Amino acid sequence: MAKTLAEKILSAKSGQDAKAGDIVIAQVDVAAFQDGTGPLGVRQLQKMNLEQVKARYSIFFIDHAAPSPRKELSNDHILLRTFAEKTGAILSEVGEGVIHQRLVEAYAKPGDVLIGGDSHSCTSGALGAFATGMGSTDVAIGMALGKTWFKIPETYRINVKNSFKPGVFSKDLILYIIGTLGADGATYKALEFDGEAIDRMSMESRFVLSNMAVEAGAKTGLIASDEVTREYLKKRGREKDWTALSPDDGASYERVVDIDAADLVPQIAFPHTVDNTRTVDQAQDIKIDQAFIGTCTNGRIEDLQIAAKILKGKKVAKKTRLIVCPASRDVYLDAMENGLLEVFVRAGGIIMGPGCGPCVGVHEGVLGDKEVCLSTANRNFKGRMGNPEGYVYLASPATVAYSALKGTISDPREVLGKE
Amino acid sequence: MVLRGKVWKFGDSISTDLICPGRYFHLRSNLPELAKHVLEDADPEFASKMNTGDFVVAGQNFGLGSSREHAPTIIKLAGVSAVLAKSFARIFYRNAINVGLPLLECDTDKISEGDELEIDLATGSIRNKTQNVQLESTPLPKAMLNILNDGGLLAHIQKHGDFKLD
Ligand code: SF4
């Protein structure tokens, strides 16, 4: 039977010739937690007297509250460190970076089954891994037993032809897709991204697509593993982790969505849902108090490069704060060595340590009442940045950087479109 | 098991941020305290005015957003006996079953704030005593029913030593 990527991976990892709709028990290659979901997972295992780890990689990332802003969270971190030491799980310390960025940099590989105690665990799907978010108990048990259960999802194939016009990026594409499908448009489904635009895309840009698959309700967002994947892993010294992986010709898709990349313009997700997307011209003149460039969605080197290109030699608007947060230590070092951090600081910005930064409202950039943040993150729910009275808009790093200069939401094609 | 209680009605797209706000991140290891803030950003008074056994009833895509299991856990801990919605987000759905919080997918337009419901969990049938209507819910997949009947995933694994889904 011709298989989708999801069917292929889960068949191989369950040892069953399985198709969409089947329930399988699959081997877990990577089981990951962050510091907000890990403590509950650890306590569940302690309750069961099952303090062991059996996945190929079992990892705890201290990234959401890193460094810790409160004693309660510091104590949670101690719990994770102690558990890791006892069981041999890997501990990713303060400063190493956001879970999903670190997973693609160092752990996930094509064909893997990856479960993470964080909804954006679907990010590793761009490497051709069946990667999905689950709750603490599910991940804890998957980590301890080295297996978990899945219902194999039906797949929506997202076919993107042509290429982007200048000033338009993969973030605009995924915001457009979520706006089209709706926040629950792909609930329980797998997305498979394919087409010329995807073939030509860097891994950095592909991660953005897979990262936000969950914002359409999807279980994962898969991309075939090709030469671009191989190059990425090679650069990270992991070429041996590469295998080619693609869906079979004739695999059956529940739905096919065709998009012409050349038709797309910059997108903005308005508060308070990600599917509330409009084109940038419908958002002009909205004043922004805070511009945030970072997160597991758009805190990678490619994102910082485009932002620095726009900000170089300029100053952010007087009433706008700029916060930049590299997604990992490697991204931070790369940005430092290439002078990008200096560009941000000279432009009036502030650099946060690698991690989630202000994304989830724990620390570092909580909004005041009625304040507006234009962010490169993946979520804009009410209360997301620590205050239900704040407003979060989402956009690409280019749009955020250019808007920071203007002080209002602005179209980056005004500077990038002319090239 | 038959559940009886009063309805607290919410709208569409109740996210895990509304149920369990990120600003209480530091309370995640203190669940009873965290439960005092359940659904706070959707209705600031909810936790103080609800009674044990009541139902949360909502529209589409309840529980969208993060994977925090704390969301269904504090709904249960606050004393809510079941959540009814037109549809649920995937991770929330799986988490709720894992922590033993019953979910029912049904046409919630036929239920209003303050209605008295009687729910038979075994059959999934819902009796709206106030409006005198009978509603049916989509049955749980068998694998999940097994986990729920065992009292959640932890209890399920403790009982069988492994996944036992069929
Ligand atoms: S950066 Fe934001 S979305 Fe990504 S893992 Fe951290 S809190 Fe979650």
Side-chain angles (χ1 to χ4, degrees):
Chain A
M1 190 198 74
K3 288 185 166 63
T4 61
L5 282 172
E7 289 169 330
K8 228 176 193 177
I9 299 167
L10 291 178
S11 290
K13 294 292 175 178
S14 65
Q16 281 178 48
D17 185 21
K19 57 179 185 322
D22 290 349
I23 301 237
V24 297
I25 294 174
Q27 174 192 325
V28 170
D29 300 293
V30 184
F33 272 119
Q34 33 93 337
D35 49 345
T37 55
L40 182 55
V42 165
R43 287 201 186 92
Q44 294 291 63
L45 291 181
Q46 288 174 338
K47 256 193 234 164
M48 299 175 73
N49 260 327
L50 198 66
E51 289 181 81
Q52 61 181 39
V53 296
K54 281 205 179 152
R56 186 178 83 235
Y57 287 123
S58 298
I59 322 161
F60 291 85
F61 294 89
I62 300 185
D63 58 355
H64 278 56
S68 168
R70 306 183 61 121
K71 70 173 194 291
E72 295 91 335
L73 295 168
S74 312
N75 290 335
D76 282 347
H77 293 168
I78 292 174
L79 177 72
L80 300 183
R81 290 187 187 107
T82 312
F83 179 85
E85 204 155 295
K86 183 165 172 189
T87 58
I90 300 166
L91 191 93
S92 179
E93 261 298 347
V94 173
E96 282 184 42
V98 183
I99 168 170
H100 312 301
Q101 176 61 10
R102 288 301 296 145
L103 284 171
V104 297
E105 284 177 354
Y107 303 102
K109 64 181 174 61
D112 271 358
V113 168
L114 179 154
I115 58 172
D118 190 284
S119 59
H120 296 107
S121 298
C122 44
T123 312
S124 293
L127 287 172
F130 189 90
T132 191
M134 291 179 170
S136 294
T137 307
D138 260 321
V139 176
I141 287 172
M143 187 178 265
L145 301 182
K147 58 186 170 182
T148 191
W149 73 274
F150 291 108
K151 183 169 173 205
I152 300 190
E154 303 281 351
T155 297
Y156 285 3
R157 188 168 171 103
I158 315 285
N159 219 336
V160 195
K161 66 173 183 189
N162 277 326
S163 45
F164 298 125
K165 296 261 167 63
V168 182
F169 300 88
S170 66
K171 180 61 163 289
D172 300 302
L173 169 62
I174 191 66
L175 287 175
Y176 173 81
I177 292 169
I178 294 159
T180 307
L181 294 178
D184 58 355
T187 302
Y188 299 112
K189 314 297 177 192
L191 301 182
E192 230 181 60
F193 300 99
D194 189 49
E196 293 163 79
I198 312 295
D199 293 345
R200 287 198 202 116
M201 221 177 247
S202 66
M203 278 316 301
E204 270 82 3
S205 293
R206 291 179 181 182
F207 292 136
V208 181
L209 303 178
S210 294
N211 176 271
M212 291 190 70
V214 67
E215 306 309 331
K219 198 163 183 166
T220 187
L222 287 151
I223 299 179
S225 165
D226 60 6
E227 284 304 316
V228 178
T229 322
R230 186 211 286 254
E231 269 311 302
Y232 177 82
L233 291 172
K234 189 174 165 190
K235 252 201 228 143
R236 305 228 33 109
R238 297 173 62 208
E239 195 180 6
K240 63 172 190 346
D241 280 349
W242 182 79
T243 41
L245 185 71
S246 51
D248 293 330
D249 289 338
S252 108
Y253 294 97
E254 186 172 317
R255 187 171 164 191
V256 177
V257 180
D258 287 302
I259 296 170
D260 186 341
D263 287 346
L264 290 174
V265 300
Q267 307 281 315
I268 308 285
F270 278 53
H272 293 293
T273 56
V274 186
D275 60 355
N276 190 11
T277 53
R278 301 184 210 170
T279 55
V280 69
D281 55 295
Q282 293 172 288
Q284 305 272 338
D285 302 329
I286 294 172
K287 279 212 188 71
I288 55 175
D289 301 289
Q290 182 163 299
F292 172 39
I293 300 172
T295 78
C296 58
T297 314
N298 280 124
R300 286 178 258 279
I301 194 66
E302 187 181 278
D303 305 315
L304 302 190
Q305 278 161 347
I306 190 75
K309 185 171 160 186
I310 291 169
L311 292 164
K312 189 159 190 182
K314 310 241 167 50
K315 283 256 181 276
V316 300
K318 216 168 139 210
K319 292 188 176 166
T320 305
R321 315 180 282 275
L322 170 67
I323 301 176
V324 180
C325 184
S328 72
R329 176 177 289 150
D330 287 4
V331 173
Y332 194 106
L333 283 167
D334 204 342
M336 189 161 74
E337 281 154 13
N338 289 294
L340 309 183
L341 300 187
E342 184 174 348
V343 171
F344 299 131
V345 174
R346 290 202 184 279
I350 176 168
I351 318 288
M352 299 281 135
C356 298
C359 180
V360 70
V362 179
H363 59 168
E364 298 180 339
V366 170
L367 296 179
D369 291 352
K370 304 275 181 300
E371 281 198 324
V372 168
C373 179
L374 182 64
S375 164
T376 65
N378 44 33
R379 259 182 203 148
N380 59 351
F381 301 150
K382 193 175 169 197
R384 179 73 186 177
M385 292 184 80
N387 184 352
E389 304 301 325
Y391 297 89
V392 184
Y393 292 72
L394 308 176
S396 78
T399 303
V400 175
Y402 187 56
S403 303
L405 291 180
K406 295 281 177 183
T408 55
I409 296 181
S410 304
D411 188 343
R413 290 174 302 175
E414 287 171 18
V415 279
L416 298 174
K418 297 193 189 91
E419 292 168 353
Chain B
M1 188 163 67
V2 178
L3 309 173
R4 289 186 191 84
K6 216 173 84 175
V7 167
W8 299 97
K9 192 94 193 259
F10 294 84
D12 291 337
S13 308
I14 300 297
S15 71
T16 52
D17 282 272
L18 295 178
I19 301 167
C20 177
R23 67 178 175 281
Y24 299 121
F25 207 81
H26 60 287
L27 293 178
R28 288 192 181 183
S29 287
N30 186 353
L31 293 169
E33 204 49 44
L34 192 61
K36 292 183 185 161
H37 302 282
V38 66
L39 279 156
E40 186 171 287
D41 285 352
D43 176 356
E45 267 95 59
F46 176 71
S48 53
K49 65 191 184 190
M50 66 148 302
N51 290 309
T52 304
D54 285 353
F55 302 109
V56 165
V57 178
Q60 304 276 5
N61 209 14
F62 187 90
L64 79 155
S66 97
S67 69
R68 62 192 79 150
E69 191 174 295
H70 312 74
T73 303
I74 62 172
I75 293 177
K76 188 177 149 116
L77 213 65
V80 172
S81 59
V83 181
L84 291 72
K86 287 184 194 165
S87 64
F88 293 94
R90 183 191 71 83
I91 306 178
F92 181 88
Y93 195 84
R94 191 164 162 146
N95 280 344
I97 302 306
N98 285 346
V99 304
L101 171 70
L103 301 182
L104 296 109
E105 208 174 67
C106 63
D107 179 7
T108 54
D109 284 342
K110 302 206 170 88
I111 307 173
S112 311
E113 174 103 355
D115 284 358
E116 298 276 343
L117 306 182
E118 205 171 87
I119 298 177
D120 183 348
L121 272 188
T123 62
S125 74
I126 301 152
R127 168 131 204 91
N128 187 334
K129 296 204 297 192
T130 311
Q131 304 201 26
N132 202 19
V133 285
Q134 187 78 23
L135 295 166
E136 298 309 320
S137 62
T138 320
L140 277 180
K142 187 150 176 284
M144 299 186 105
L145 197 61
N146 287 342
I147 293 171
L148 187 64
N149 284 341
D150 284 338
L153 184 61
L154 206 141
H156 175 85
I157 298 289
Q158 269 175 327
K159 181 168 158 192
H160 306 285
D162 204 339
F163 295 99
K164 195 152 185 357
L165 303 174
D166 42 16

